[in-house]
Amino acid sequence: MRLVIKDNATLVAEWAAKYVTKKINDNNPGPDKYFVLGLPTGSTPYGMYQKLIEYYKAGKVSFKYVKTFNMDEYVNLPRDHPESYHWYMWNNFFKHIDIDPKNAHILDGNAPDLVEECKSYEEKIKAAGGIDLFVGGIGPDGHIAFNEPGSSLVSRTRVKTLAQDTLEANARFFGNDIEKVPKQALTVGVGTVMAAREVMILITGSHKAFALYKAIEEGVNHMWTVSAFQQHEHTLIICDEDATLELRVKTVKYFKALSDVHSQMITDDDQTLEKYWIIH
Ligand code: PGA
């Protein structure tokens, strides 16, 4: 596992966007070889999407041969509701870039058969060749996608009832009225994200500091589902200073001492990112 610590959320967004750009470009995708990205919604990745749009407009990256799979979607929220993840992704990212809409996959929380929808989502990921890079965020309770505390660490895409902490955290998007927050969502499982070739998790803010501590300093625990990624070969966590507040000084010092290596990971031109997973 790598922990990249940046001074603030803006620099986290920039590092993440540069990394996604580099991964896409290094893979040199084309009509016979798409790059497959897993994507999150929420306030944390918003800055990364802004930066990716900027890099696309500057000609630094293209999404023409990129397929995307989003992590989750609310159940029974109309697709054009401003808090639906369809709306979020279209307005904050997809409509500004050159992705072919048919390659941008989001679970349909209004599907007549939700179980079948989840099953076919897994099949679509498989048919795309699996996910090359899954980008994720977490909740203050350590959930990844909507894999609430207690979720199976080998879970796959399914219908999930949201935890009280998540309803409270998301009420801010629904006029601070918790009654308006959908109670269920479709979500990829921890196992779905674990199956990606690489996982990049963005964590910012002091309200997520305890979750980051649980994610990296304690053992794998299904009550903090993000901790499962300790057992993934290629996990990158990108966080800001505020999110490190509950970590031990020696943990922070260890990863900060690697900051030169982390800078090289987004600037190295010799297309051998793989080496950064061999030499820590
Ligand atoms: P946030 O949500 O980025 O809006 O904090 C993340 C999450 O709950 O998974």
Side-chain angles (χ1 to χ4, degrees):
M1 175 181 288
R2 285 193 170 277
L3 179 67
V4 177
I5 304 169
K6 307 304 293 180
D7 284 351
N8 54 50
T10 307
L11 295 174
V12 167
E14 186 180 83
W15 199 97
K18 284 187 174 165
Y19 194 74
V20 170
T21 297
K22 182 159 171 54
K23 286 292 292 186
I24 294 173
N25 290 337
D26 285 3
N27 275 269
N28 197 19
D32 300 324
K33 190 175 70 122
Y34 278 71
F35 187 79
V36 186
L37 255 182
L39 293 175
T41 51
S43 47
T44 313
Y46 178 77
M48 177 189 75
Y49 292 133
Q50 294 288 104
K51 278 279 161 198
L52 284 171
I53 293 165
E54 184 186 315
Y55 299 159
Y56 160 68
K57 290 189 170 156
K60 294 180 182 166
V61 65
S62 164
F63 297 85
K64 190 161 188 242
Y65 297 115
V66 172
K67 291 185 183 177
T68 62
F69 287 88
N70 262 78
M71 294 193 125
D72 41 19
E73 177 58 289
Y74 288 116
V75 166
N76 271 340
L77 195 64
R79 203 176 265 239
D80 57 359
H81 187 289
E83 293 307 331
S84 85
Y85 294 167
H86 277 79
W87 195 98
Y88 175 105
M89 289 308 295
W90 179 252
N91 286 289
N92 293 326
F93 192 39
F94 295 146
K95 79 173 183 193
H96 305 285
I97 58 171
D98 61 343
I99 193 163
D100 183 338
K102 79 171 184 326
N103 291 327
H105 305 274
I106 306 181
L107 283 153
D108 180 2
N110 296 292
D113 183 340
L114 295 176
V115 173
E116 186 50 39
E117 171 66 12
C118 294
K119 195 168 152 242
S120 88
Y121 203 65
E122 287 281 339
E123 280 160 10
K124 281 182 209 154
I125 293 174
K126 208 167 160 199
I131 291 176
D132 291 305
L133 174 64
F134 218 131
V135 184
I138 66 164
D141 62 358
H143 69 220
I144 178 120
F146 276 128
N147 292 287
E148 302 290 29
S151 292
S152 157
L153 299 185
V154 293
S155 52
R156 290 287 173 162
T157 305
R158 67 213 185 288
V159 186
K160 200 67 196 165
T161 299
L162 305 187
Q164 184 65 19
D165 281 354
T166 304
L167 298 176
E168 283 169 18
N170 290 2
R172 69 192 196 276
F173 301 120
F174 292 86
N176 286 318
D177 182 353
I178 198 164
E179 288 308 316
K180 293 207 174 110
V181 186
K183 308 279 178 291
Q184 286 191 317
L186 303 186
T187 180
V188 295
V190 181
T192 318
V193 186
M194 282 290 282
R197 284 180 268 284
E198 195 168 334
V199 179
M200 179 167 76
I201 301 166
L202 313 182
I203 306 180
T204 58
S206 56
H207 61 305
K208 305 233 175 118
F210 195 69
L212 179 59
Y213 151 70
K214 283 284 185 180
I216 67 172
E217 287 192 352
E218 288 206 348
V220 173
N221 183 338
H222 65 298
M223 296 309 285
W224 296 83
T225 52
V226 64
S227 65
F229 294 91
Q230 291 174 23
Q231 296 199 324
H232 191 289
E233 240 184 320
H234 291 172
T235 297
L236 265 171
I237 295 182
I238 325 300
C239 73
D240 65 357
E241 285 282 349
D242 286 349
T244 67
L245 289 175
E246 299 283 352
L247 297 182
R248 281 184 269 189
V249 173
K250 79 173 177 186
T251 306
V252 174
K253 280 198 162 177
Y254 174 77
F255 285 108
K256 279 200 168 172
L258 289 164
S259 65
D260 283 353
V261 179
H262 297 154
S263 301
Q264 282 166 32
M265 287 173 81
I266 50 172
T267 52
D268 195 342
D269 281 332
D270 73 0
Q271 306 201 356
T272 51
L273 269 176
E274 192 59 26
K275 75 178 177 218
Y276 294 103
W277 292 109
I278 297 164
I279 310 163
H280 275 222

